[in-house]
Amino acid sequence: MSKVYAMIADGTEEVECLAVVDLLRRARIDTVLVSVGGKNIVSSHKISITADKTADEVDLTDADLIFLPGGMPGSTNLAHCAPLISAIDKQLKSGKRVAAICAAPAVVLGAGGFLRGKKATCFPGFESGCDGAKVDIDARVVTDGNITTARGMGCAVDLGLELIALILGKSAADKVKKEIQY
């Protein structure tokens, strides 16, 4: 069974995170909400969220996919987590997947040099942070190799369905899409 770590921190955009987590769980993908910092965070819109685990309680390198929601300062808080950045590096070098939405493609992946030579998208205004990437600001979701990026909260369902298709196949994504009336 595939394992996904959905990372959160104080200031994470809650809908971007929880919409993707919801869809992955509907597809029966083992998805763990992992917090950087304490187990309880406050989202970018002041909503309290309790994580399943903290980053200290899991081995971030055993995920098949690490998912990074956006939001500010959530993306910055994720970017400042050295164990997470190290895990992303190992993840990509081993051919495993990473996904990011909104500010996270620029603030986490771009700042870490992980987007060089890749096609990507991000929230408009963050393009310059996607260091070395060819940014398609009109695309809702972009997958290039083992990195998937999405533009923003309005694209969270598209991102979740894309990740299901990448992990389980298009028929599984189509099944969830039909179930949620999308």
Side-chain angles (χ1 to χ4, degrees):
M1 175 183 258
S2 297
K3 180 180 281 184
V4 175
Y5 287 145
M7 306 302 299
I8 60 171
D10 281 328
T12 291
E13 209 295 330
E14 62 280 353
V15 173
E16 292 169 0
C17 180
L18 297 178
V20 172
V21 168
D22 177 281
L23 291 169
L24 295 173
R25 288 182 177 180
R26 285 174 191 260
R28 295 185 175 40
I29 296 169
D30 182 14
T31 305
V32 182
L33 195 58
V34 180
S35 174
V36 170
K39 204 165 192 178
N40 298 302
I41 67 109
V42 177
S43 75
S44 61
H45 296 101
K46 309 300 181 222
I47 297 171
S48 297
I49 300 172
T50 301
D52 300 315
K53 300 279 185 179
T54 65
D56 296 338
E57 296 175 317
V58 298
D59 176 2
L60 292 173
T61 63
D62 73 358
D64 297 293
L65 167 73
I66 294 175
F67 166 54
L68 309 164
M72 294 300 283
S75 294
T76 302
N77 290 333
L78 293 176
H80 288 141
C81 178
L84 174 59
I85 300 306
S86 176
I88 291 168
D89 184 52
K90 289 175 186 170
Q91 187 87 354
L92 294 173
K93 285 179 178 172
S94 68
K96 294 181 180 180
R97 297 195 169 281
V98 172
I101 187 170
C102 192
V107 176
V108 183
L109 299 180
F114 301 117
L115 293 179
R116 290 187 188 116
K118 297 284 189 179
K119 295 176 189 166
T121 193
C122 64
F123 192 83
F126 283 87
E127 301 90 343
S128 65
C130 294
D131 183 35
K134 181 178 180 188
V135 178
D136 181 349
I137 204 61
D138 294 319
R140 295 178 66 77
V141 177
V142 173
T143 295
D144 187 349
N146 55 347
I147 297 177
T148 301
T149 53
R151 198 168 59 208
M153 192 264 292
C155 307
V157 171
D158 298 314
L159 175 60
L161 293 170
E162 172 80 357
L163 296 177
I164 294 167
L166 290 168
I167 295 168
L168 299 177
K170 186 176 181 328
S171 63
D174 287 344
K175 181 177 184 272
V176 171
K177 186 176 182 179
K178 183 177 180 183
E179 288 172 357
I180 65 168
Q181 305 298 299
Y182 188 71

